[in-house]
Amino acid sequence: MLVDSPPEASAESAPAPPNRRAIRSAGLLVSVCVLLLVVVASIAVGAKQMSLDQVWHGLFQDTGTYGDVVVGERLSRTLLGVLVGVALGLAGAVLQALTRNPLADPGLLGINLGASAAVVTAISFFGVTSLSGYVWFAFAGAAVVGAAVYALGGTRNATPVRLALAGTALSAALYGYLQAVMITDNAALNKMRFWTVGSLASAKTETILQVLPFLVVGIVLALGLARPLNAMAMGDDTARALGAHLNRTRALSMAAATLLCGAATAACGPIMFVGLMVPHVVRSFTGPDMRWILPYAAILSPVLLLGADVIGRVVARPAELQVGIITALIGAPVFIFLVRRRRLAQL
Amino acid sequence: MKAIRTRGGLSFRLDVRTAVVVAVLIVAALAASVVLIGTGDFYIPTADVIRTLLGNGDAGQEFIINDLRLPRVLVGLLVGAALGLGGAIFQSISRNPLGSPDILGLGQGSTAGALIMIVLFQGTAVQVAGGALVGGLVTGFAIYVLAWKRGVHGFRFVLVGIGVSAFVTAINGYLLTKADLVDAARAVVWMTGSLNGRDWDQVWPLLVLCAILVPLVMTYARPLRMLEMGDDVGYALGVPVERTRIVLMGSAVLLTAAATAAAGPVAFVALTAPQLAKRLTRSPGPNLMPAMFMGATLLIVADWASQRAFGADQLPVGVVTGVLGGIYLLWLLVIERKAGRI
């Protein structure tokens, strides 16, 4: 037979009883603790192994010893990882709710490719070589494509299908452009092939400072969208009947997603899988309520991202595997397992 | 729609509009081929091309046409047809216009096979093609096995495909960072999809494969059409549901992998050809035949455009299909929005 097992989700879409809420709050707390553990691991583990004492010393009594410098560098790397993780998780959750499409991610809506195309333009035509230089191009590219997708999808009556189609269309055109430049310009190719796998390795304090404002605004915006997105999940007509501002919610969601994806992609390249996967996993145990999905996604996405980064530093020591590769190699099997376990197609 | 019955009791249904569309597409593909053969550093007038193809040309033109340009055009036609047909099968089985080989990661799987050959073994063109074929088949098999759970069902199939695609893409990215710059440049050209330098060695395997698979697929066109109404309806109508799906999907994987092995993962043909065909025929069915010829026409026209606009061998055809495909979808969005259909 081909019919899926009866959707277990039906039990979870019912209003949560009070004890359920307590469990979810406790789960959130546990998630925060896990995140803290991963943060410590991210600072302690690497090509040079650090003891907790050394980590403590580096963090709080920085005297400029070699160990303290290592801790300092790892600290900015970890900080960037947390920020980018939060951004990707929230952006994925918002986009999936907005498009009512479990396949929606920054990649599908073309935002990643917008950033990539802008970076390749910066490298190839403007001779920009430093990260701090092309951060701005990447961000502008993501923002322009995000706006274009939204404009093409229709500002007044955007439907999930049209948004996804607009994203796919723009991605295709941008990908053609990207490849044309990479084929004709070896210097751009040489930069791009490292940038496009996604890595935290080049994290610097200035990078963080450059993307931080955008990320903060995006995070606040995304977290504030929980209620409107919940209303929209019931379908346009019902949502409208309930007094939801459909188009305002859509516009704000696109703005939040663009800010988050653009800044994250600019800082460390397109890391595609986190935003697609974490909201899926979260939804499987919180149910469809965005007021739970968003905080959980915001906490668990950096766990995945930093964990992947640590693994990448350990498995190929003293070299390292880029975090974008690890997240995909870990994420894909988990994702496939989830797809097999239950019907994720329904949002 | 017309029903045609012979006296022996055979009957089949002929959709007049579909037949006209197929005929027009065949003529368009052939015309574009003739124009493409005449195009290049050495221009050959259309009349001479046709005369030479019919076997009455002079020696110089015969060499240029039969040894250099004809095989390239044939590879283009076959690759386009295989991608169009494979895309139509996948979109029909997954019941999703985005369920094309590009999205499912078959092209990525072939790319991984080819990259392993280019980056790790500095392989020859034939070895790269072999790697691509194996990579595509392994990926197709993996998607099928991973998506199998009391049968392979539409949405799970697409989602698993996306998962596998992400996995393989990561491997490809890693291989690209591992490569030295010369190999990486070669790999990127391959990954774009190109018909440059293709000759009779690529034509024959593709031709044999298409000769076997296309008739096989066509015999399953009707069961596939019934499956679009859902598995339960299919069972009720007596369609061997799982067998239909296995045969068709196996064929689609083979067609896509072989096409990719010959020309690289040419973007967008498998995605757009079935959609364009559907619009032309206005028929809800899988539109296998129209999609196949639409794919062939698209690829040949795109190759001609890439040569006309940028000079032979400058920009591979995959760049043009990617850009054209994107523009097509944008146009579609504007039109549909005006008509208020989406």
Side-chain angles (χ1 to χ4, degrees):
Chain A
M1 274 301 288
L2 302 142
V3 184
D4 273 291
S5 51
E8 297 143 71
S10 61
E12 290 169 349
S13 56
N19 64 335
R20 188 134 208 176
R21 169 180 277 189
I23 293 173
R24 284 174 181 167
S25 306
L28 218 49
L29 213 62
V30 173
S31 305
V32 171
C33 296
V34 174
L35 178 58
L36 286 178
L37 280 180
V38 179
V39 165
V40 172
S42 171
I43 297 172
V45 179
K48 179 178 164 53
Q49 198 66 273
M50 315 279 284
S51 71
L52 283 180
D53 276 353
Q54 284 172 300
V55 173
W56 187 265
H57 190 267
L59 283 180
F60 298 106
Q61 302 149 23
D62 189 350
T63 49
T65 63
Y66 175 64
D68 294 346
V69 172
V70 172
V71 168
E73 297 219 334
R74 293 219 189 121
L75 187 63
S76 47
R77 181 178 184 153
T78 305
L79 194 59
L80 185 65
V82 172
L83 285 170
V84 167
V86 173
L88 292 175
L90 285 178
V94 167
L95 285 177
Q96 285 173 18
L98 173 71
T99 60
R100 276 188 224 124
N101 182 350
L103 311 184
D105 78 331
L108 188 68
L109 293 193
I111 296 171
N112 272 333
L113 267 172
S116 300
V119 168
V120 90
T121 307
I123 294 172
S124 191
F125 295 110
F126 296 97
V128 181
T129 48
S130 70
L131 175 74
S132 52
Y134 57 66
V135 151
W136 294 99
F137 282 87
F139 186 76
V144 166
V145 171
V149 166
Y150 192 67
L152 273 168
T155 38
R156 266 175 308 160
N157 47 356
T159 64
V161 179
R162 200 188 288 161
L163 279 176
L165 265 175
T168 316
L170 273 178
S171 301
L174 289 171
Y175 194 67
Y177 166 74
L178 203 64
Q179 280 187 315
V181 175
M182 276 163 77
I183 284 169
T184 47
D185 184 347
N186 268 355
L189 165 64
N190 207 18
K191 277 262 172 199
M192 284 302 292
R193 64 184 172 136
F194 291 103
W195 190 78
T196 48
V197 289
S199 170
L200 293 171
S202 50
K204 289 193 196 82
T205 318
E206 57 178 287
T207 317
I208 297 173
L209 288 178
Q210 275 170 343
V211 294
L212 190 62
F214 302 108
L215 288 178
V216 169
V217 174
I219 289 168
V220 171
L221 204 54
L223 289 173
L225 283 166
R227 271 170 191 282
L229 284 175
N230 270 347
M232 268 182 54
M234 289 181 247
D236 290 359
D237 295 338
T238 315
R240 209 175 279 123
L242 287 172
H245 298 270
L246 290 185
N247 291 313
R248 193 174 71 189
T249 306
R250 286 195 186 112
L252 287 177
S253 301
M254 275 314 281
T258 305
L259 279 171
L260 293 169
C261 301
T265 308
C268 50
I271 298 176
M272 310 261 300
F273 222 82
V274 179
L276 185 66
M277 189 182 63
V278 174
H280 268 302
V281 179
V282 167
R283 198 178 299 112
S284 69
F285 58 77
T286 61
D289 189 346
M290 291 300 285
R291 284 174 301 172
W292 290 105
I293 292 179
L294 287 173
Y296 265 111
I299 295 167
L300 290 179
S301 297
V303 170
L304 175 67
L305 192 68
L306 279 184
D309 193 39
V310 172
I311 293 172
R313 278 183 261 163
V314 173
V315 289
R317 215 179 265 171
E320 58 178 66
L321 272 172
Q322 289 86 347
V323 65
I325 292 167
I326 302 282
T327 52
L329 294 186
I330 299 174
V334 174
F335 178 70
I336 290 171
F337 169 75
L338 283 165
V339 168
R340 286 181 56 82
R341 201 170 60 116
R342 66 168 63 190
R343 198 173 173 83
L344 288 163
Q346 296 159 336
L347 273 189
Chain B
M1 187 77 76
K2 271 196 177 132
I4 296 173
R5 293 191 174 82
T6 64
R7 222 175 266 167
L10 274 174
S11 77
F12 61 96
R13 301 190 324 158
L14 180 73
D15 184 346
V16 177
R17 190 181 171 96
T18 302
V20 171
V21 167
V22 168
V24 168
L25 284 174
I26 291 175
V27 171
L30 290 180
S33 303
V34 169
V35 173
L36 181 59
I37 291 174
T39 309
D41 288 341
F42 181 80
Y43 172 74
I44 302 175
T46 308
D48 288 2
V49 172
I50 294 174
R51 197 167 56 230
T52 310
L53 285 177
L54 294 175
N56 305 320
D58 64 55
Q61 290 180 345
E62 214 156 67
F63 169 73
I64 291 178
I65 289 176
N66 289 345
D67 290 353
L68 299 180
R69 293 188 187 164
L70 181 59
R72 176 191 179 130
V73 170
L74 286 177
V75 171
L77 285 171
L78 289 168
V79 165
L83 288 177
L85 185 56
I89 293 173
F90 272 118
Q91 290 181 18
S92 177
I93 285 181
S94 63
R95 275 182 239 144
N96 188 332
L98 289 177
S100 84
D102 317 58
I103 310 278
L104 292 174
L106 286 182
Q108 295 289 349
S110 293
T111 304
L115 277 183
I116 288 172
M117 278 311 185
I118 293 175
V119 173
L120 300 184
F121 299 105
Q122 278 81 37
T124 63
V126 176
Q127 286 169 325
V128 170
L133 187 64
V134 173
L137 292 179
V138 168
T139 309
F141 183 72
I143 295 173
Y144 187 83
V145 170
L146 290 171
W148 207 92
K149 186 178 180 183
R150 289 170 295 155
V152 169
H153 194 58
F155 224 122
R156 185 168 60 233
F157 183 66
V158 176
L159 284 171
V160 167
I162 286 175
V164 171
S165 174
F167 191 84
V168 180
T169 305
I171 296 175
N172 291 346
Y174 176 68
L175 286 171
L176 264 190
T177 61
K178 275 277 161 201
D180 66 48
L181 191 53
V182 177
D183 288 338
R186 188 180 163 206
V188 169
V189 171
W190 191 90
M191 285 163 71
T192 310
S194 166
L195 294 175
N196 295 341
R198 302 302 191 267
D199 58 28
W200 291 101
D201 291 344
Q202 274 93 36
V203 174
W204 293 119
L206 262 181
L207 195 61
V208 171
L209 197 81
C210 287
I212 297 168
L213 288 180
V214 171
L216 178 70
V217 165
M218 291 308 163
T219 60
Y220 278 92
R222 259 175 90 171
L224 181 61
R225 189 171 202 151
M226 293 176 188
L227 276 192
E228 287 197 334
M229 290 181 275
D231 288 354
D232 296 342
V233 178
Y235 280 118
L237 291 172
V239 175
V241 171
E242 212 49 48
R243 193 182 77 204
T244 302
R245 243 193 306 250
I246 289 178
V247 170
L248 282 174
M249 232 145 57
S251 308
V253 168
L254 255 178
L255 284 167
T256 311
T260 311
V266 182
F268 241 82
V269 174
L271 191 65
T272 41
Q275 294 296 313
L276 281 175
K278 186 173 265 181
R279 262 150 223 289
L280 287 180
T281 63
R282 295 187 194 154
S283 155
N287 285 307
L288 296 180
M289 275 286 196
M292 184 170 84
F293 289 111
M294 177 57 85
T297 311
L298 273 182
L299 196 58
I300 288 302
V301 172
D303 196 36
W304 174 80
S306 78
Q307 292 196 24
R308 283 294 290 199
F310 306 104
D313 302 355
Q314 283 300 303
L315 270 189
V317 64
V319 171
V320 177
T321 60
V323 174
L324 283 182
I327 293 170
Y328 152 79
L329 265 181
L330 293 181
W331 170 80
L332 191 66
L333 282 171
V334 174
I335 293 292
E336 295 281 283
R337 186 176 164 191
K338 275 195 189 136
R341 273 197 293 264
I342 39 174

